[in-house]
Amino acid sequence: MARLWRFDEIVDTDVLAPGAYMKAPLTELATHCLEAVRPEFAGQVGVGDVILGAPNFGVGSSREQAAEVLRHLGVAAVIASSFAGIFYRNAINLGLPVFTLSDDLYDHPGLVDGAELAFDFDTASIRLAASGDVIKLERLPDFLRDMILDGGLIPHLEKRFQAATPAGG
Amino acid sequence: METLARKLIAKASGQSSVAVGDVVVCKVDLAMIHDSGGPRRVKPMLERLGRNVWDRHRVVVVTDHYVPADTNETRAIQALTRQWVVDEGIDNFYDEQGICHVVLPERGHLVPGMFCVGGDSHSPTGGAFGAYMFGIGATEMAGVLATGEIWLRVPETILIQWTNHLGRFVTAKDMMLAMCGEIGMGGGRYQAIQYAGSAIQDLPMQERMTLSNMAAELGAQAGLIAPDDVTAAYVRAVGGTLAEDWEDYRIEAVDSVRDHLTFDAATLSPQIAAPHSPANADDAGVFRHTAFNVAYIGACTGAKYVDLAAAASVLKGRHVANGITLKVAPASLKDQNRAEADGTMSILEEAGARFLANSCGICAGYGDDRLAEDEVCLSSTARNFKGRMGAPGSKVYLASPYTVAASAVAGEMIDPREMMEG
Ligand code: SF4
């Protein structure tokens, strides 16, 4: 079952995509993701896991790799009460689901590090295994949802342009 | 009452009004890209999409980062950039004419009412002209170039008011560093900042540009200043075309904004920000006797004509102290020509300055002049993150051109007023 990775410290783009490995291929860069604050993260994170971050998640530079590595590692969603603006945009443009959560829900007692959960993109919610509680996240506008489902901005546009081009041409 | 940010976004999204939090799709009036984040990154993505730029008249390309190109790698980047401009038929191409954020306005590309994006984090500079402008990553830029559109969540506005008037030898850069010190790097939370008040209205356009430029350091998406007669006069002087309705954007939004901050310009002292964050700012006097070895007047933030003139007013009849190297990289060729014509450049030269290319240069940690290990630089640039201007062990303090110049003469960091008025 998927688990929750909770970060109460500031997570900046340098922690997500460390500068020292920025020239390395994404697969290598990803092995260093978050190692400064949680050395076991990259090795243990599983497909479908969810990150719960402190406010202003992804603050720092405009490097797109900060979002790209999380997606590469299989993270299903990043949830925070607020995001740094450029990270938020980059995440959606690269197909990484990001959701905001109100401050009172953020303090929900079940949202502890390591909690087992199931995340559902369609309903924008997480279901905590221990209590059965369902936590509703702020739903994204439809066209941003579509962009994420397509895998990000470029594949999304590719689809749009193909649809607009008459077949067989 | 509507804010300037909402008015600009409503227009770009084709709606009569928008509310904070709305997600809208905006039509882009102008997209700026440079050699570093531009063609070499977006070309493969556009090819994958099978698209050319949506409107070749609305794209501006500038080479400024890898200038002068001095390795095979950077020469290849410039060659790719130039070829792409030819292939796409771009008619606004400024090749080694200066730094993008300065070139754009001085060539008349930015006017009140526009909605623009730039492939660089200091793109909020355009806000000084009453245009909504912000920085985006390469993937997003490829999307804009393919479609001419971009999505946006309508941000809240933070109103930052500057009352009274600045004293002598105190500049927009000092205002900016004081704001970084007060509200920190994430203080803007990706909102739109709007600067207002008498001390803002006093400022010439190039000083206003410094405030909008460094809205990025406050974590804001945009840094707006309501256009006024100063804006209009500048735009006319550079040959730009004001829209008939430009005065509709004279929106100070003083009453309608919940988030307010007020600063008093009259009591502001020259500021210095210690390594490694602009938020480490304090009165210059606090840093008295701090040693350094490189004085740098450079970058989009700190080497425009007004900055060169400020430095020259201190350096006239004075000389840089032994042990200090003064390097000056005028932000654009136009500004350099103007400074040559009125004698500013020769004052700097006689004071001991060495001139570098009209480019990002060591602000981007690029070129032979970048800082060596253990060098300490007092710089008129925008950022002093660890290692940004060269070796990881180098240190950068940020200040205004007055403070950089006076400190270079004194041989240690000082408040320029001590030298000029003391
Ligand atoms: S001068 Fe410095 S801050 Fe300005 S665009 Fe160039 S690298 Fe960025």
Side-chain angles (χ1 to χ4, degrees):
Chain A
M1 189 168 219
R3 64 160 281 185
L4 183 74
W5 294 83
R6 182 178 173 120
F7 294 85
D8 288 315
E9 62 276 68
I10 294 251
V11 172
D12 63 29
T13 50
D14 260 312
V15 173
L16 291 164
Y21 307 101
M22 281 291 288
K23 285 208 169 123
L26 188 71
T27 44
E28 192 193 329
L29 179 64
T31 65
H32 300 282
C33 177
L34 289 163
E35 73 182 357
V37 290
R38 203 74 75 80
E40 74 281 13
F41 177 79
Q44 291 181 7
V45 66
V47 172
D49 284 3
V50 170
I51 288 179
L52 179 67
N56 214 6
F57 190 94
V59 65
S61 81
S62 59
R63 67 183 68 153
E64 298 184 324
Q65 289 89 334
E68 223 171 350
V69 287
L70 293 177
R71 194 172 160 230
H72 177 81
L73 290 169
V75 169
V78 182
I79 302 165
S81 50
S82 68
F83 289 90
I86 296 184
F87 177 87
Y88 185 83
R89 298 189 72 90
N90 285 344
I92 291 171
N93 288 321
L94 292 163
L96 174 72
V98 277
F99 293 94
T100 47
L101 183 70
S102 63
D103 284 338
D104 48 324
L105 281 175
Y106 187 83
D107 295 328
H108 187 288
L111 290 176
V112 291
D113 187 54
E116 295 202 323
L117 55 79
F119 164 72
D120 185 43
F121 182 78
D122 279 337
T123 56
S125 62
I126 46 180
R127 187 170 199 284
L128 293 168
S131 61
D133 284 2
V134 174
I135 297 177
K136 281 272 183 201
L137 308 166
E138 204 176 288
R139 226 183 110 95
L140 291 167
D142 284 345
F143 82 94
L144 294 185
R145 280 169 44 89
D146 290 347
M147 196 187 295
I148 288 173
L149 285 172
D150 289 342
L153 176 64
I154 298 297
H156 179 69
L157 288 176
E158 215 167 14
K159 205 165 127 183
R160 188 171 121 190
F161 291 149
Q162 270 161 15
T165 314
Chain B
M1 197 179 96
E2 185 164 46
T3 59
L4 176 54
R6 282 195 284 131
K7 172 112 181 161
L8 290 165
I9 294 168
K11 183 189 172 213
S13 62
Q15 308 194 34
S16 55
S17 74
V18 292
V20 168
D22 286 359
V23 174
V24 294
V25 175
C26 293
K27 289 225 177 309
V28 172
D29 293 316
L30 179 144
M32 184 281 292
I33 52 178
H34 57 54
D35 51 348
S36 176
R40 69 174 176 139
R41 301 283 314 278
V42 298
K43 183 174 181 266
M45 291 189 259
L46 286 172
E47 281 167 356
R48 174 172 167 194
L49 293 172
R51 283 305 221 241
N52 295 96
V53 297
W54 94 103
D55 184 342
R56 63 194 182 87
H57 305 298
R58 293 188 182 277
V59 179
V60 181
V61 183
V62 178
T63 57
D64 58 1
H65 276 61
Y66 299 118
V67 173
D70 57 359
T71 62
N72 286 339
E73 197 186 2
T74 53
R75 273 189 287 269
I77 292 170
Q78 299 304 23
L80 183 152
T81 305
R82 292 178 184 124
Q83 188 58 45
W84 187 81
V85 164
V86 172
D87 294 345
E88 293 285 342
I90 308 283
D91 38 25
N92 296 306
F93 178 41
Y94 300 102
D95 200 3
E96 307 196 1
Q97 303 287 299
I99 303 164
C100 55
H101 307 300
V102 179
V103 168
L104 237 55
E106 76 183 12
R107 305 291 173 139
H109 288 296
L110 299 177
V111 300
M114 289 176 91
F115 184 94
C116 314
V117 295
D120 187 275
S121 64
H122 284 108
S123 299
T125 310
F129 299 84
Y132 200 91
M133 185 161 185
F134 59 106
I136 57 175
T139 301
E140 231 177 344
M141 183 56 82
V144 168
L145 294 177
T147 63
E149 294 174 351
I150 191 165
W151 66 272
L152 186 88
R153 184 188 286 264
V154 180
E156 284 178 45
T157 291
I158 308 178
L159 186 75
I160 304 188
Q161 269 187 291
W162 279 87
T163 59
N164 293 317
H165 307 280
L166 289 174
R168 289 197 72 198
F169 306 106
V170 187
T171 67
K173 182 63 176 293
D174 300 301
M175 298 165 95
M176 198 62 228
L177 292 177
M179 289 186 274
C180 289
E182 183 75 23
I183 63 181
M185 289 283 294
R189 287 284 179 86
Y190 216 50
Q191 283 125 323
I193 286 177
Q194 186 169 349
Y195 305 107
S198 50
I200 303 293
Q201 286 155 4
D202 290 345
L203 297 173
M205 287 315 293
Q206 287 200 328
E207 281 279 88
R208 295 182 187 186
M209 284 161 65
T210 300
L211 295 177
S212 295
N213 176 289
M214 287 185 67
E217 272 56 48
L218 295 173
Q221 183 177 46
L224 304 170
I225 297 174
D228 59 12
D229 296 345
V230 176
T231 323
Y234 178 99
V235 169
R236 289 194 187 101
V238 297
T241 313
L242 284 167
E244 254 168 49
D245 65 349
W246 79 268
E247 298 212 49
D248 295 354
Y249 298 95
R250 284 190 171 216
I251 302 173
E252 286 246 307
V254 176
D255 306 326
S256 57
V257 175
R258 211 182 42 209
D259 281 333
H260 268 271
L261 277 165
T262 304
F263 292 83
D264 182 359
T267 57
L268 180 69
S269 296
Q271 301 284 302
I272 291 179
H276 297 286
S277 167
N280 295 338
D282 210 331
D283 290 354
V286 172
F287 297 89
R288 186 85 170 101
H289 303 315
T290 307
F292 68 105
N293 20 54
V294 178
Y296 185 56
I297 309 270
C300 51
T301 324
K304 303 178 289 290
Y305 175 80
V306 283
D307 303 307
L308 303 175
S313 72
V314 171
L315 293 170
K316 193 175 169 84
R318 296 189 169 89
H319 200 276
V320 170
N322 282 345
I324 300 219
T325 316
L326 172 62
K327 299 178 185 184
V328 179
S332 78
L333 189 58
K334 266 195 178 229
D335 277 357
Q336 178 171 324
N337 287 343
R338 186 175 162 201
E340 251 155 30
D342 71 4
T344 299
M345 288 294 275
S346 59
I347 294 171
L348 298 176
E349 194 185 329
E350 277 156 31
R354 192 154 68 73
F355 296 112
L356 307 182
N358 308 123
S359 62
C360 297
I362 57 178
C363 175
Y366 174 68
D368 289 342
D369 281 280
R370 65 182 176 274
L371 300 179
E373 200 64 36
D374 298 329
E375 270 190 324
V376 179
C377 179
L378 181 62
S379 173
S380 68
T381 55
R383 282 183 182 154
N384 57 347
F385 303 155
K386 198 168 193 305
R388 175 178 171 92
M389 289 173 64
S394 58
K395 289 200 179 80
V396 179
Y397 289 78
L398 303 175
S400 78
Y402 284 121
T403 305
V404 173
S407 301
V409 171
E412 57 182 30
M413 294 182 200
I414 64 163
D415 182 326
R417 296 174 303 187
E418 277 183 55
M419 181 170 288
M420 307 302 289
E421 294 172 346

